[in-house]
Amino acid sequence: MRLDGKVIIVTGAASGMGKAMAEIFAAEGAHVVVSDIHGEAARQVAQSITENGGTALAVETNVAEETAVQQLIDQTITTYGKLDVLVNNAGIMDGMEGVGDISDERWERVFSVNTTAVMRAMRLAVPLFQKQGHGVILNNISIGGLNGARAGAAYTASKHAVVGLTKNTAYLYAKEGIRCNGIAPGAVETNIGQSMTNINEFGMGRTMLGMGLNPRSAKPEEIARLALFLVSEESSFVNGAIVIADGGWSAY
């Protein structure tokens, strides 16, 4: 069991990559907190994990609300008494708008989920990690956090910001037993596209030019296996890294 007894929060865990991560972590012995804005779906994932011999707790969480993030951490500590790993996986897309078309409302909504929520969860987790002398943070950043042509201005900027936050956190707390890494998946078969509304024709047209270079889309389980490595002790010397998993898409 690579994660035996570890307590792990996974946000956005009711579907897609988050669900696959929660399932593989539980199979490796972790106590998984399945956090998602869709409470019933989160409960179904937790129930499935339990029925398969794992341990899981579902917590309905709107990560855009500070009080909800605090409740998520509090409920985890109340239930399991500790937190070993925080996986910030929840995220939403923009509408592919360029900076000339982005609205304040869209910008603020995307940043509230993709960036501010990540910071708040990390802000709560780090003192716990400092007190116990160890802890791991894994941020799902997306290839959009490293390239400029995979999404609109808001999503791209929000994910680039998390790259900086990840590296800064890794460096500042490295001597306190805290590791912080990111994964940058390319196209993955998830339902994140459902968060896209009022798609911008100009922006979509420009970003779609690169889709022809994409060799294929990943299964969520392929990203989850990478996440398993990065949250386990097998990656004990990996800190501040942003690991690309896009099948060679960005190697062009």
Side-chain angles (χ1 to χ4, degrees):
M1 290 291 187
R2 297 157 77 180
L3 300 174
D4 192 29
K6 299 289 187 182
V7 176
I8 304 180
I9 289 174
V10 183
T11 66
S15 63
M17 289 179 281
K19 177 176 180 286
M21 290 177 199
E23 291 173 340
I24 197 171
F25 295 164
E28 289 290 341
H31 305 308
V32 181
V33 179
V34 181
S35 167
D36 201 280
I37 193 171
H38 302 293
E40 181 55 34
R43 286 185 284 274
Q44 289 175 7
V45 172
Q47 180 179 347
S48 176
I49 288 172
T50 302
E51 290 173 349
N52 283 285
T55 304
L57 168 71
V59 180
E60 184 174 340
T61 314
N62 179 356
V63 295
E65 297 179 358
E66 185 173 6
T67 55
V69 177
Q70 179 70 65
Q71 181 182 2
L72 170 63
I73 299 294
D74 291 345
Q75 196 164 343
T76 299
I77 299 301
T78 298
T79 303
Y80 296 118
K82 64 172 183 171
L83 175 64
D84 297 296
V85 179
L86 169 66
V87 179
N88 287 303
N89 170 74
I92 58 172
M93 288 292 293
D94 55 18
M96 295 294 183
E97 305 95 338
V99 71
D101 296 316
I102 191 70
S103 67
D104 284 354
E105 181 182 8
R106 176 87 82 176
W107 179 273
E108 290 164 4
R109 173 61 179 162
V110 170
F111 264 79
S112 70
V113 175
N114 291 359
T115 310
T116 305
V118 173
M119 177 277 293
R120 286 172 173 162
M122 291 170 65
R123 185 171 63 191
L124 292 170
V126 163
L128 299 175
F129 294 163
Q130 288 176 304
K131 185 176 181 179
Q132 65 194 19
H134 65 87
V136 176
I137 299 169
L138 180 63
N139 295 324
N140 193 345
I141 289 166
S142 156
I143 198 66
L146 301 174
N147 297 84
R150 297 292 182 261
Y155 184 88
T156 301
S158 72
K159 292 296 188 176
H160 272 71
V162 178
V163 170
L165 180 62
T166 299
K167 292 184 175 182
N168 176 265
T169 301
Y171 177 77
L172 290 183
Y173 299 101
K175 291 187 176 182
E176 299 185 55
I178 299 172
R179 295 190 296 117
C180 185
N181 293 298
I183 52 176
V188 183
E189 296 174 8
T190 73
N191 62 359
I192 193 172
Q194 295 178 8
S195 66
M196 297 174 65
T197 58
N198 300 319
I199 297 174
N200 184 274
E201 183 177 353
F202 165 73
M204 178 62 83
R206 292 292 292 162
T207 57
M208 287 300 292
L209 292 175
M211 286 301 296
L213 302 174
N214 182 28
R216 69 176 178 90
S217 295
K219 299 290 185 182
E221 293 74 18
E222 293 179 282
I223 307 303
R225 287 193 287 271
L226 171 60
L228 173 61
F229 168 71
L230 290 172
V231 303
S232 75
E233 288 306 308
E234 294 175 9
S235 61
S236 58
F237 199 56
V238 180
N239 193 23
I242 310 299
V243 183
I244 297 173
D246 69 354
W249 189 9
S250 59
Y252 173 77

